[in-house]
Amino acid sequence: MKNHDKYSRVYFMPPVQSLKWTEKEYITEAPTWCSVDLRDGNQALVVPMSLEEKLEYFQLLVEIGFKEIEVGFPAASETEFAFLRTLIEENLIPDDVTIQVLTQSREHIIKKTFEALQGANSAVVHLYNSTSVAQREQVFRKSKEEIIDIAVTGAKMLNKYAAETEGNFKFQYSPESFTGTEIEFALEICNKVLEIWKPTDDGKVIINLPATVSMSMPHVYASQIEYMSDNLRYRDNVILSVHPHNDRGTGVADAELGMLAGAQRVEGTLFGNGERTGNVDIVTLALNMYSHGVDPQLNFEDIPSIMAKYEKLTRMKVHERHPYGGELVFTAFSGSHQDAIAKGMKWHEEKEPEHWTVPYLLIDPIDIGREYEGDIIRINSQSGKGGIGYILQQNYGIDLPAEMRESFGYSVKNVSDHEHKELLPNEIYDIFINEYVNVNTPVEFIRYNYTKNDHYEMTVSIRVNHDEHEFSGEGNGKLDAISNALQTKLGLDYTDLVYKQHALEIGSGSNAVSYVGITAKNGDVYWGCGIDTDIMTSSIKALFSAVNKMVSSLELSVESQLIESNK
């Protein structure tokens, strides 16, 4: 692309190597989660939430299990102020939930913030000021010393107003635009703030290191976090937090590697809502941990309902391919994927292993409220026989023989390709019923009877063009005897009679289903299915269905053959 040389790497590596985090394999325990949906998320909406909507969203976050929730910037607007007062005065904050509010390092804003917090049972007051080179030079036009003075002054004011206000308060400091700040300077300003607050074991302080703008690859951010973790004063009494944004599409990776590097707390939003490309997605982070067998301490067992409420309140749409929550993330259209999933699901049903290992499915969709029906395998012109067969089996109890799946698969894909659309399970079922089940033209089965000596003698009645005929045949079994009669009296030539049957247990009472395949003289295989309350009748109907498909396909004349056989 043109103009690539106008860009450069504007982040800062630590002055010493910080790579201990690379020795860790995975995250072993959940961090403290802080939802910033009601602040970062809300301010990024085209239409910010009303007071009533914010209250409903707050309740959703509580139900999911968040113990820390940033509820806004109460000095920024009357709606923000009223929301916080409503939460406190109407006792809507559970005893085990801590609210968090944001404030700049300006006295009138800090004063207004503590007015809004009056009587709060447990609250984090989040102080921030921007520290990056770009912000210092272009926005504030201040020196490092002046930027430090802003932070220190704000920290002192938090001490002052907290002492004068009824409530229980914890402090948090963020060097906003941390990723564009020289690491030594970020460390210096954080330590200056810590010297003002002097955290203790009973009064810990949060230092939050935001990727306000993601500027580097995730391993750089992790090294920055590790360096800060190793060098912050009062480290045992500091809760190290990360707040990644997603400008480079690496928000989740930044958070995960940041946790490996020492972060104990993560700020983010549901489904990654937030300014520009958004905040880090806590749903993805939590369920990534879940996929490794670690309890994320958040409840996402009903993703569809959470997503529905999120979309209603934010007026945002969760993308179809969004990890875990998206409509299509557990869906396979590819034939090879469908076949592997179908076989994997069957293997798990049979073996009942301790751990989930189904191909192409990272976790069991059922565990987060998704359904197998219509979720895992969906059918279009790219689908394969395995997936199409799986749809029939899961939804309708139709367990096609392996050989028959290929024949039916072509029928379904031809319809999808011709109509240029995805086919729903009921549409697939209708294709199967119309093309394969109890096919009665041009030869209609009416009835049969038999006698048995050392072999079976069958008499079968059929109807062709409204005329009824009866003829007999012999064989080692009933179906074999009728097949011999059909071939003799109708002049048909086929071999390799393949037969399978089973009870039809879904939505059918006591019906039986049978499948028959026959191979014509030219080598083509024709399949039919029969469904009936009597298993023998279902088998005969399956044979007639296969015969009728062969007769129609090869344009054979059974009428003329009947005339000849009756002379």
Side-chain angles (χ1 to χ4, degrees):
M1 291 177 61
K2 65 180 181 180
N3 296 333
H4 68 276
D5 54 354
K6 75 187 285 186
Y7 303 101
S8 65
R9 292 174 293 280
V10 293
Y11 55 83
F12 300 90
M13 287 293 289
V16 297
Q17 191 177 60
S18 298
L19 294 173
K20 294 191 296 293
W21 60 269
T22 63
E23 299 171 4
K24 300 176 184 178
E25 180 183 350
Y26 66 102
I27 299 161
T28 57
E29 61 181 4
T32 297
W33 302 108
C34 179
S35 161
V36 295
D37 290 81
L38 294 169
R39 171 53 193 172
D40 279 31
N42 186 57
Q43 75 174 10
L45 298 177
V46 176
V47 181
M49 286 181 271
S50 66
L51 175 61
E52 292 73 19
E53 288 171 330
K54 291 184 79 171
L55 289 170
E56 186 175 354
Y57 204 107
F58 179 83
Q59 183 58 39
L60 171 65
L61 296 171
V62 170
E63 290 171 357
I64 290 171
F66 285 97
K67 300 306 179 186
E68 295 189 8
I69 302 172
E70 187 168 83
V71 296
F73 195 143
S77 72
E78 284 305 312
T79 299
E80 300 263 295
F81 189 95
F83 174 53
L84 178 52
R85 291 313 306 160
T86 300
L87 290 174
I88 294 171
E89 293 171 5
E90 296 187 12
N91 296 316
L92 299 176
I93 307 169
D95 291 341
D96 62 346
V97 172
T98 296
I99 57 171
Q100 177 171 301
V101 295
L102 197 65
T103 181
Q104 295 172 337
S105 183
R106 301 168 68 183
E107 185 164 12
H108 72 282
I109 293 177
I110 293 172
K111 180 180 179 182
K112 185 78 170 179
T113 299
F114 278 93
E115 288 175 6
L117 285 169
Q118 182 77 27
N121 182 57
S122 177
V124 171
V125 184
H126 181 186
L127 174 72
Y128 77 96
N129 68 304
S130 198
T131 60
S132 69
V133 174
Q135 292 268 11
R136 295 196 319 258
E137 292 179 349
Q138 301 171 37
V139 181
F140 298 103
R141 302 193 178 190
K142 292 183 181 293
S143 66
K144 289 182 179 179
E145 291 72 21
E146 290 173 306
I147 295 295
I148 290 173
D149 185 62
I150 292 173
V152 168
T153 299
K156 290 178 180 177
M157 284 190 287
L158 259 61
N159 279 343
K160 174 181 181 294
Y161 282 99
E164 298 171 357
T165 305
E166 177 190 356
N168 295 302
F169 307 110
K170 181 187 291 185
F171 297 154
Q172 172 173 321
Y173 175 69
S174 290
E176 197 218 347
S177 60
F178 164 76
T179 45
T181 304
E182 307 93 321
I183 297 302
E184 298 95 325
F185 179 56
L187 179 65
E188 180 183 3
I189 197 168
C190 288
N191 280 334
K192 292 283 188 182
V193 170
L194 289 172
E195 285 298 338
I196 302 299
W197 287 339
K198 299 188 185 305
T200 64
D201 186 53
D202 294 329
K204 295 184 186 297
V205 162
I206 301 168
I207 293 294
N208 185 56
L209 303 175
T212 309
V213 178
S214 177
M215 294 180 168
S216 68
M217 294 177 68
H219 74 285
V220 173
Y221 186 58
S223 294
Q224 293 168 338
I225 297 302
E226 184 173 279
Y227 175 79
M228 295 291 288
S229 179
D230 288 345
N231 292 281
L232 283 169
R233 296 174 188 166
Y234 303 97
R235 182 63 184 91
D236 290 344
N237 297 321
V238 170
I239 299 167
L240 189 59
S241 177
V242 291
H243 180 117
H245 281 245
N246 201 40
D247 304 86
R248 290 171 51 88
T250 59
V252 167
D254 287 339
E256 290 183 327
L257 298 191
M259 283 188 274
L260 291 180
Q264 302 146 288
R265 182 178 183 271
V266 175
E267 294 187 347
T269 59
L270 299 181
F271 305 110
N273 182 34
E275 295 279 18
R276 308 181 311 278
T277 57
N279 290 62
V280 69
D281 175 21
I282 288 182
V283 177
T284 299
L285 282 172
L287 292 176
N288 280 356
M289 295 177 59
Y290 182 73
S291 74
H292 283 169
V294 178
D295 185 354
Q297 302 295 311
L298 292 174
N299 186 348
F300 292 116
E301 293 177 4
D302 190 359
I303 282 285
S305 68
I306 292 172
M307 190 166 66
K309 187 164 288 190
Y310 165 86
E311 292 183 338
K312 181 189 80 168
L313 295 174
T314 65
R315 302 168 183 82
M316 300 284 284
K317 172 69 176 173
V318 176
H319 193 276
E320 289 88 345
R321 299 293 182 189
H322 196 101
Y324 302 104
E327 179 186 356
L328 299 177
V329 296
F330 293 109
T331 301
F333 289 101
S334 160
S336 61
H337 288 207
Q338 291 175 343
D339 184 61
I341 290 171
K343 290 175 178 175
M345 295 290 289
K346 184 175 183 180
W347 186 88
H348 270 250
E349 289 174 5
E350 294 172 350
K351 305 295 184 180
E352 298 182 349
E354 180 181 0
H355 296 116
W356 178 262
T357 60
V358 172
Y360 297 113
L361 297 181
L362 181 62
I363 65 172
D364 188 344
I366 291 293
D367 289 338
I368 58 172
R370 301 292 294 268
E371 297 180 356
Y372 294 141
E373 179 180 342
D375 263 357
I376 294 181
I377 290 177
R378 289 166 59 172
I379 304 303
N380 62 17
S381 60
Q382 305 303 306
S383 302
K385 60 185 180 180
I388 293 168
Y390 179 86
I391 290 288
L392 280 184
Q393 184 174 11
Q394 286 294 118
N395 293 276
Y396 302 103
I398 303 292
D399 186 13
L400 301 181
E403 303 92 334
M404 187 178 184
R405 292 189 176 195
E406 183 172 3
S407 171
F408 180 54
Y410 283 120
S411 297
V412 171
K413 291 198 290 184
N414 286 340
V415 172
S416 177
D417 191 38
H418 178 72
E419 298 185 7
H420 301 289
K421 71 170 190 175
E422 175 190 354
L423 296 178
L424 300 176
N426 65 296
E427 294 175 304
I428 295 166
Y429 179 72
D430 288 343
I431 293 171
F432 180 70
I433 293 296
N434 293 334
E435 293 194 16
Y436 289 86
V437 178
N438 299 349
V439 181
N440 57 13
T441 57
V443 184
E444 180 182 359
F445 165 70
I446 301 175
R447 72 185 71 87
Y448 76 94
N449 55 64
Y450 70 95
T451 59
K452 182 179 184 301
N453 297 308
D454 57 341
H455 59 274
Y456 284 92
E457 296 180 1
M458 302 290 294
T459 300
V460 61
S461 297
I462 67 170
R463 184 179 289 114
V464 177
N465 282 341
H466 308 292
D467 296 326
E468 190 170 323
H469 304 270
E470 183 177 283
F471 39 79
S472 301
E474 299 180 354
N476 295 326
K478 297 177 186 177
L479 197 64
D480 181 51
I482 289 181
S483 177
N484 290 336
L486 289 176
Q487 292 189 73
T488 300
K489 298 298 182 179
L490 298 181
L492 303 178
D493 189 359
Y494 60 80
T495 58
D496 298 330
L497 187 69
V498 179
Y499 171 71
K500 176 185 175 180
Q501 61 82 23
H502 63 79
L504 192 58
E505 298 177 350
I506 297 180
S508 61
S510 58
N511 278 348
V513 58
S514 300
Y515 314 92
V516 167
I518 57 176
T519 303
K521 189 176 182 180
N522 64 1
D524 291 341
V525 179
Y526 297 92
W527 286 92
C529 175
I531 299 178
D532 197 90
T533 55
D534 175 68
I535 192 168
M536 188 63 225
T537 302
S538 77
S539 303
I540 296 171
K541 287 181 176 180
L543 173 62
F544 271 73
S545 295
V547 166
N548 280 322
K549 288 179 71 66
M550 183 183 77
V551 168
S552 298
S553 177
L554 299 178
E555 298 181 348
L556 302 177
S557 175
V558 294
E559 294 91 338
S560 59
Q561 185 64 33
L562 279 170
I563 293 172
E564 288 297 320
S565 65
N566 289 332
K567 287 181 179 179

